[in-house]
Every structure is written in structure tokens, then in C-alpha cells.
Amino acid sequence: MAAYLSMGEAHRRIGDYLSRVTNAISYSDGAALASLLSVSSAPASTPLSDALAAFPDFPRLAGDRFPHLADFLVPLLRAIHSHSVQRFADAYSSFEKASSAFLQEFRNWETPWAMEAMHTVALEIRLIAEKADRELATNGKNPDKLQAAGSFLMKVFGTLAVKGPKRIGALYVTCQLFKIYFRLGTVNLCRSVIRSIETARNFDFEDFPVKDKVTYMYYTGRLEVFNENFLVADQKLTYALMHCNSQSESNLRRILKFLIPVKLSIGVLPKRTLLERYNLLEYADVVTALKRGDLRLLRQALDRHEDQFLKSGVYLVLEKLELQVYQRLVKKIHNIQRQKEPAKAHQIKLDVVVRALKWLEIDMDVDEVECIMACLIYKNLIKGYFAHKSKVLVLSKQDPFPKLNGKPV
Amino acid sequence: MAEPAKPEVTEEAKMDLLEDDDEFEEFEIDQEWDDKEEGNEALQQWEDDWDDDDVNDDFSLQLRKELESNAPKN
């Protein structure tokens, strides 16, 4: 509980905060303004929040002193107060009002001096909305604030993503929107912002700040993984990896978490040291399975980490690696035969494959194996043909197991 | 309505459900870094030429044994 605060002292502190906000606006000091708007990271008790608790008439104080900014300042103080007493849904509603008023002012300022403050508002509204939704869900109410924050940020995006000096701030807001849409599971809403970013004629993507480009490429890369566009996913996630701050271990790990399955699907394997370095050992057995042609190990690895892979949305990508593992297994059989009987090595009896699979605890009959081999041939993972009657796969003498060379299966 | 006796516990449980491990961590709002330098060693740690013809690893040796031991006489 806050120590006793005299009315006079409370009045002074609130007045001081309001002056700092209005001074930052008068002097076009974006950084100072931004730091005054960080509502959600404040500790439960601050000199200002104690003063707001001790002086309930603070809205009138703000309205009387700065009538021209009352639409912004009054709800801002309310948001700070509600947040400090952990009434997050109330804090959200007030902060959204303050944000709308701020956006109105921001539109009228010709230069982008207040971009940092606008970005702080964009971040804060998302963070406060998340807290509000948790509170609402806990109380059995409909958690709809994050969605509302998304609608507000679309307005901010609309203000920024136009020709002119403010456009450089649009990508940051895009990234906040991505975070909301991924959290809410409404990733299809990303499409219109992406189109607006990528079709801009007067603005080069490379001119955006690097931190926003990295975040953008991480999210659009993940979208491409969901859409199974592995080549584009590879480009975007590799871009994110290349440009990410090398100090940011946790973000590098997140990028790799998606880049690894993408690379695997185009036949490129991460080294063991990479998996260890970023604690991504859930992929270690998958990699070993690919190297060996060990279908059992692949299935075990998918089984063991099923929840995790499903949650990140990479399960289906990894499941599709099975064809590559089959290819590898047939190649192993071919190599073993070649050592023993080089003349007949290019003839693989399906029966032999059935036995190898049985050894790996996978029960399949000759017809099923034939079906899989047909698929491998169709996907150009094996070059050869069937002697259907004698149940033999005849491998091409030239390059019977084409490499993917960075192409998806 | 039941009195929320220990709201912290309930809230934390819900928070876990709402956590998203894959959410990209915010960079500081004014954070910039030099991305010209050949940055992340993670870019170097990939092999695209791993597909060798070696059949002397454990897995291959066992596979060979298996295929030979069960080979039908012909």
C-alpha cells in the first residue's frame, strides 16, 4: 500500500506528469513522449499512480489545465490509474480512447517527429489488450480486447502506409498486427497488410528499420511455411536469420525453429552443433533419421514431440520428410547390394524393401511398398521403373537417387 | 457467484494457456544494430552435401545383417 500522500503532493505529481507530456509535444520530443506513454511496463506503484489513487478528481485537473488535449490526457491518466490497480479491461478501454485522440493529433503533425511515441502506443495497446483479455477470460467474460486493438492498429497502419515521410513507421505497426493475428489465429488477416507493404512503388522495403524487417520476415516466413511454399519460406526466414541481432538468442532460436523444418524439406540439414547451440534438439532424431533412412526413428521423433510440433505448425512439414527417408533407405539397400553383387545392384526386389521395413517395425506388404516406390519415382526421388510381374524395382544406372539440391520434393 | 479466493492462481493458469512461445520478442523501440557485418554463425552451420555412399555406419551394418540373415535362398 502506498504511503500517505497529501493532496497537495498528489496534485503536484499529476501536474508534473501532465506538463512533461505537453512539453514533449510542444518541443516535438518524440523519445521523451514515448517514455511517458509506457503504461503496461510500470510497476504496480509509482509516484504517479500513487498520486492518481490519492487524488480521484484527476480528470478535472487534466481537463482544466490542458483543455485542448483533454481528449488525450484524461483517458491516458485513467488508463494509468486502472492499470496500476490491475483493472485491465478498464485500462484498455481508457487507453484505446487516449490512443484514438493521439492518432488524431499525430495525423495533423506534418513531420514524423512523434513516430517513436506512436509506436509505443501501438505496442502498449497490444500489451494492455492481452492483459485485459486474460482478466476477462478469468472472469468468464468475452475476451475481445485484443481484437479491438487489432482494429485500432489497422487505423494506425492506414495513417502510416501512405506516400510520405511517415511511411517508414508502417512496418513496425504491421509487425504488431502480425503478433495479434497469430495470437488470435486469424492469420488470413495478414494478407491485406502484406499486400500494401509489398506492392508499394514509392518505398523500398530495404529502407525500413532493420528490427522491423527482421520481425516482418519471421512472420511472413512462417506464413509461407503454413502455405507450404518452402522456397519462399526459406528466403524469408534466412533473411531474418541473417539480419537478426546476433545478441538476440531467443529470437534467433525462434527463427531456426521454423527454418530447420523448411531446410530439411529441401534436403539441407542443420549441423548437430547448431541444434545444441540453440537448444533445438527435438530435431536431432529427425536429422539422424534422414541421414540413415531410418523410418522408425522418424516416426518415433514425430511421436515424441508431437504436441510441440503441432503447436508450432511444423508437424505436417516434418511428416512429409518420410518420402526422403524412404529414398535414403532404398539407397542404403542399393549400396549394400552393390558391395555384394555389383552386377545386380540396380535391381531392388520389393520383397527386400518389405524385409527392411519389417526390421524397422513397419508392416507393409509388397503392394504397399510398390505404391510407395511409385510415389518416389513420380516425385523424382528415384529414377527407375518397375518390373511389375517379378516385383522388382529397376534403378536407372545414371543418378538413380537425384538430390533435391534445394528444391522441395 | 463463487468468491475468487485465490485469483492469482487462476490467472496464472489462464496466462499459461495464452502464452505463445513462438511470438517474436520485441526489440527495444529505438534499437538498431549494424547488420552489414557477417553476423550470425548460425548461417554457416548447414550441410547440403551429407548424402554419402558410406555403408559402414551402425545402421547400415545392422540393415545388411538383417537382409542377409533373412535372405531366401535362390
Side-chain angles (χ1 to χ4, degrees):
Chain A
M1 199 51 225
Y4 169 78
L5 207 56
S6 73
M7 279 298 197
E9 173 61 12
H11 190 278
R12 191 195 63 75
R13 285 186 195 174
I14 298 167
D16 178 56
Y17 173 78
L18 292 171
S19 310
R20 280 195 285 154
V21 173
T22 49
N23 280 341
I25 293 174
S26 316
Y27 293 110
S28 299
D29 185 345
L33 184 57
S35 71
L36 292 163
L37 300 178
S38 293
V39 175
S40 72
S41 57
S45 165
T46 65
L48 175 61
S49 71
D50 294 345
L52 293 169
F55 193 86
D57 204 19
F58 63 79
R60 206 155 57 102
L61 171 62
D64 287 352
R65 275 232 208 146
F66 304 101
H68 61 296
L69 283 171
D71 287 350
F72 169 50
L73 295 174
V74 173
L76 177 62
L77 289 179
R78 283 211 170 97
I80 293 169
H81 176 60
S82 297
H83 186 271
S84 74
V85 296
Q86 305 203 6
R87 290 202 315 263
F88 297 124
D90 292 344
Y92 177 81
S93 303
S94 298
F95 195 79
E96 197 195 275
K97 285 197 189 95
S99 303
S100 293
F102 183 75
L103 179 61
Q104 206 55 48
E105 298 289 330
F106 182 87
R107 283 194 183 120
N108 296 331
W109 294 324
E110 263 172 47
T111 71
W113 70 265
M115 192 60 77
E116 201 176 322
M118 189 73 251
H119 285 175
T120 300
V121 166
L123 172 64
E124 288 293 324
I125 199 166
R126 176 173 73 81
L127 297 177
I128 298 171
E130 283 175 9
K131 291 187 181 187
D133 278 358
R134 274 182 214 134
E135 177 187 290
L136 290 167
T138 308
N139 297 332
K141 292 183 189 151
N142 183 24
D144 57 357
K145 301 303 183 204
L146 195 54
Q147 203 184 345
S151 306
F152 173 75
L153 289 181
M154 273 308 287
K155 288 186 211 156
V156 180
F157 181 79
T159 303
L160 299 179
V162 291
K163 217 172 120 186
K166 290 178 183 168
R167 188 174 171 89
I168 194 162
L171 200 61
Y172 180 85
V173 179
T174 305
C175 295
Q176 295 302 328
L177 281 166
F178 285 170
K179 287 181 180 180
I180 291 176
Y181 295 152
F182 271 76
R183 180 69 71 102
L184 294 176
T186 53
V187 294
N188 57 317
L189 295 175
C190 297
R191 223 173 283 160
S192 68
V193 262
I194 292 175
R195 199 176 312 122
S196 166
I197 290 293
E198 296 192 351
T199 58
R201 300 214 162 182
N202 307 308
F203 198 91
D204 185 354
F205 181 80
E206 283 304 318
D207 291 338
F208 284 119
V210 61
K211 68 177 173 41
D212 301 336
K213 288 187 288 187
V214 167
T215 309
Y216 179 86
M217 288 303 197
Y218 170 73
Y219 279 105
T220 51
R222 281 180 64 186
L223 287 174
E224 298 296 351
V225 176
F226 295 154
N227 295 331
E228 303 192 6
N229 294 327
F230 297 127
L231 284 181
V232 188
D234 182 28
Q235 285 165 14
K236 293 193 178 254
L237 292 167
T238 301
Y239 182 103
L241 184 67
M242 190 184 303
H243 297 278
C244 186
N245 189 342
S246 48
Q247 308 296 311
S248 182
E249 298 272 325
S250 62
N251 278 344
L252 288 169
R253 181 175 186 276
R254 288 188 183 94
I255 297 166
L256 287 167
K257 197 168 163 185
F258 292 92
L259 183 57
I260 287 169
V262 167
K263 289 280 195 194
L264 292 176
S265 74
I266 57 174
V268 179
L269 306 190
K271 289 187 185 164
R272 174 92 191 174
T273 46
L274 185 71
L275 302 181
E276 282 170 1
R277 169 82 173 72
Y278 290 97
N279 190 24
L280 287 162
L281 289 165
E282 64 264 33
Y283 289 118
D285 282 344
V286 178
V287 173
T288 308
L290 270 170
K291 281 188 173 171
R292 282 189 191 159
D294 191 340
L295 278 151
R296 178 176 46 183
L297 185 61
L298 180 72
R299 291 185 178 184
Q300 282 170 354
L302 287 179
D303 238 31
R304 199 173 311 133
H305 305 289
E306 187 178 2
D307 291 348
Q308 207 175 338
F309 291 149
L310 281 173
K311 200 168 162 223
S312 294
V314 297
Y315 187 88
L316 293 177
V317 182
L318 296 171
E319 204 177 35
K320 286 198 172 164
L321 298 175
E322 205 162 71
L323 282 179
Q324 282 190 67
V325 181
Y326 274 113
Q327 178 204 40
R328 186 73 181 153
L329 180 65
V330 176
K331 187 172 179 187
K332 285 255 154 140
I333 295 172
H334 171 65
N335 287 341
I336 288 170
Q337 289 189 166
R338 197 166 54 186
Q339 279 192 337
K340 211 178 154 209
E341 211 175 346
K344 286 172 113 183
H346 64 287
Q347 297 180 18
I348 310 260
K349 290 181 184 156
L350 295 183
D351 186 45
V352 171
V353 183
V354 170
R355 281 210 318 273
L357 288 171
K358 180 160 279 166
W359 172 62
L360 293 169
E361 292 167 11
I362 292 169
D363 249 331
M364 266 190 210
D365 62 24
V366 171
D367 291 337
E368 286 169 303
V369 167
E370 182 170 340
C371 195
I372 297 215
M373 295 305 123
C375 189
L376 291 173
I377 292 172
Y378 174 72
K379 300 271 188 186
N380 201 34
L381 286 166
I382 286 182
K383 279 203 237 167
Y385 63 90
F386 279 120
H388 182 71
K389 263 191 193 160
S390 46
K391 301 284 178 195
V392 168
L393 168 66
V394 183
L395 295 172
S396 157
K397 292 204 168 152
Q398 216 182 349
D399 191 22
F401 303 101
K403 290 187 182 176
L404 289 176
N405 283 331
K407 290 190 302 287
V409 171
Chain B
M1 288 306 282
E3 207 69 52
K6 283 186 175 174
E8 293 94 340
V9 178
T10 340
E11 187 164 324
E12 225 160 280
K14 292 268 183 184
M15 272 165 69
D16 273 356
L17 288 176
L18 284 161
E19 259 347 289
D20 177 6
D21 297 339
D22 297 331
E23 183 171 294
F24 215 56
E25 198 173 272
E26 290 293 326
F27 296 114
E28 290 299 315
I29 224 155
D30 53 356
Q31 192 179 358
E32 281 283 336
W33 56 87
D34 183 11
D35 77 319
K36 296 283 188 291
E37 63 183 301
E38 197 46 53
N40 299 314
E41 88 305 355
L43 287 167
Q44 269 79 51
Q45 305 202 37
W46 304 87
E47 346 175 47
D48 47 10
D49 197 25
W50 50 274
D51 184 12
D52 54 45
D53 286 343
D54 183 27
V55 283
N56 293 313
D57 56 297
D58 279 354
F59 181 83
S60 304
L61 292 174
Q62 282 178 45
L63 174 62
R64 174 204 303 260
K65 223 167 97 189
E66 191 61 29
L67 295 181
E68 284 171 359
S69 70
N70 285 328
K73 302 279 169 265
N74 48 352

